[in-house]
Amino acid sequence: MSLRNVIITGLLIALALVFNLVEGALPLPLPGIRLGAANVFALVALVLLGVKEAFAVTLLRVCLSWLITGNWFAFLCSMAGGLLATIMMVVLYTKSRKEFTLPWISVAGAWAFNAGQITVITYLVGDVRILIYAVPLFIAGTLAGWAVGILAQILCDRMGKIILK
């Protein structure tokens, strides 16, 4: 990894952490439903820098957020969801970039995040009836994923012009 990529990755991690913490402090319409704006920066890292940097943004954002908040429940949900989302976005972006736009890749990432999140919650609570909550999570994840994908596309267009100079 070049020094330029280390610096940009660090910037993206810092931005993801700030957005994650601010979003975590806002009231939620329903438990577990939020925009997921921090995922914009993992997607930007994937597009502009590569796979390693996308995983670095996700993993370090989740770990740093846990160190600041000390919330184990949020850590476990975010780690499972973040890893699955990043894996999904990496696979779609690297294998099927021509078939899927960035907003659709982001929606798939949001669905993967929701699947990881609901799996962890179901395991921790020990009640499979929690799976019913997957329906509102996936509906909200579709809308949020689309918004995150559009924001990531705008950021990639603008940052790409600066980085590629």
Side-chain angles (χ1 to χ4, degrees), residues 75-143:
F75 171 76
L76 293 173
C77 290
S78 295
M79 185 57 78
L83 280 175
L84 284 177
T86 305
I87 290 168
M88 176 65 77
M89 293 188 303
V90 164
V91 168
L92 288 178
Y93 187 75
T94 56
K95 304 290 183 197
S96 305
R97 175 180 336 181
K98 292 180 181 170
E99 288 84 20
F100 295 103
T101 62
L102 216 47
W104 279 115
I105 291 172
S106 177
V107 167
W111 291 340
F113 188 97
N114 292 148
Q117 182 183 32
I118 201 79
T119 301
V120 166
I121 294 169
T122 301
Y123 177 76
L124 292 176
V125 173
D127 189 347
V128 293
R129 290 178 293 180
I130 295 289
L131 292 174
I132 293 171
Y133 195 60
V135 175
L137 275 180
F138 277 85
I139 292 169
T142 302
L143 299 173

Side-chain angles (χ1 to χ4, degrees), residues 49 53 164:
L49 303 173
E53 290 82 356
L164 297 176

Side-chain angles (χ1 to χ4, degrees), residues 22 72 100 116 123 146:
V22 168
W72 275 101
F100 295 103
Y123 177 76
W146 189 263

